[in-house]
Amino acid sequence: EAGVAQSPRYKIIEKRQSVAFWCNPISGHATLYWYQQILGQGPKLLIQFQNNGVVDDSQLPKDRFSAERLKGVDSTLKIQPAKLEDSAVYLCASSLDLRGNEQFFGPGTRLTVL
Amino acid sequence: AQKVTQAQTEISVVEKEDVTLDCVYETRDTTYYLFWYKQPPSGELVFLIRRNSFDEQNEISGRYSWNFQKSTSSFNFTITASQVVDSAVYFCALSEEGGGNKLTFGTGTQLKVEL
């Protein structure tokens, strides 16, 4: 069974530029999550989708971050404009549903903002 | 609000030693789930175990074992006869039934196993 796929693996941009990350979850997983992991910390949830609807985006900085999951499968996370403090690893995860099932994580995208 | 505390920032052991990673959690829900994930240097989070709040049985999987104690709100992880390949950051995490499966992670424990 294929795992969660993410691209790109690494991205370096200047502050105020925009960037987009892509995620393809495990086939059949209805729930998709985007986490931000700053160096030395645990992952923090940014946004959670159930199929193509948003379940929780309370910690997403909506003035600069946006995410979509149009057909209930792939998802993109965008940052525009980027700030220095956005430097982090962005992790995508998926689970079967919302009922306490384990989440499976992709390899992440390491973003460096200069 | 849910919270997970991993007080041990870094642990160093010599290969073949046993090591226990501590995890203490806070939640107001009666139904919740506890997890352990491993993050090796490659960066990918690897799922190790899931426990629900109604199942306090300890679990053993090879060299790994987990001790869940609701009375002390702890979910500790022990590696027996540690190996160099166990070197990684280990995260404990919590989700609440009423929280839509959102995971709250601890700050992680860096385990270094040396020869």
Side-chain angles (χ1 to χ4, degrees):
Chain A
E1 180 182 270
V4 177
Q6 287 188 249
S7 68
R9 291 296 311 277
Y10 305 92
K11 191 74 178 177
I12 300 174
I13 61 173
E14 304 262 334
K15 61 183 179 184
R16 291 188 287 273
Q17 284 186 323
S18 63
V19 64
F21 312 127
W22 174 82
C23 173
N24 182 247
I26 293 173
S27 177
H29 280 194
T31 314
L32 184 147
Y33 315 78
W34 283 101
Y35 290 85
Q36 180 192 59
Q37 186 177 19
I38 292 171
L39 188 64
Q41 299 181 18
K44 183 187 82 171
L45 181 71
L46 292 175
I47 189 167
Q48 176 183 352
F49 293 93
Q50 176 71 1
N51 296 311
N52 59 353
V54 174
V55 174
D56 185 344
D57 63 358
S58 58
Q59 298 199 79
L60 186 74
K62 299 181 188 61
D63 57 332
R64 298 183 301 105
F65 286 64
S66 64
E68 60 183 13
R69 193 184 184 200
L70 290 175
K71 295 183 179 179
V73 182
D74 294 9
S75 176
T76 56
L77 175 70
K78 297 179 182 177
I79 307 175
Q80 182 179 12
K83 291 186 175 181
L84 297 176
E85 59 260 36
D86 297 332
S87 293
V89 176
Y90 291 85
L91 295 162
C92 179
S94 69
S95 66
L96 273 173
D97 53 36
L98 295 172
R99 290 174 291 179
N101 291 298
E102 56 269 34
Q103 297 178 23
F104 295 93
F105 285 79
T109 297
R110 183 176 297 276
L111 174 67
T112 302
V113 182
L114 303 175
Chain B
Q2 57 193 63
K3 183 179 177 181
V4 175
T5 301
Q6 295 180 256
Q8 304 151 307
T9 304
E10 187 173 320
I11 301 175
S12 290
V13 298
V14 176
E15 205 175 35
K16 297 182 185 172
E17 284 186 357
D18 299 347
V19 59
T20 295
L21 309 181
D22 298 333
C23 173
V24 174
Y25 63 92
E26 295 176 29
T27 177
R28 293 179 184 170
D29 270 22
T30 54
T31 304
Y32 53 89
Y33 304 88
L34 295 164
F35 304 81
W36 276 95
Y37 283 86
K38 174 182 180 180
Q39 190 171 44
S42 60
E44 190 161 343
L45 278 161
V46 178
F47 166 76
L48 296 178
I49 189 170
R50 166 187 177 269
R51 221 51 182 153
N52 75 56
S53 52
F54 298 108
D55 183 1
E56 284 193 75
Q57 273 194 330
N58 291 332
E59 179 152 341
I60 298 174
S61 176
R63 297 184 297 107
Y64 295 171
S65 61
W66 291 269
N67 182 267
F68 176 26
Q69 292 196 335
K70 286 177 78 169
S71 61
T72 56
S73 298
S74 65
F75 186 44
N76 297 337
F77 173 29
T78 297
I79 302 174
T80 303
S82 60
Q83 299 177 1
V84 172
V85 293
D86 296 327
S87 297
V89 180
Y90 291 86
F91 290 97
C92 181
L94 165 74
S95 71
E96 297 172 330
E97 185 177 64
N101 211 32
K102 162 188 169 181
L103 281 175
T104 295
F105 285 85
T107 50
T109 297
Q110 169 86 58
L111 174 65
K112 294 184 178 179
V113 183
E114 298 165 335
L115 291 171

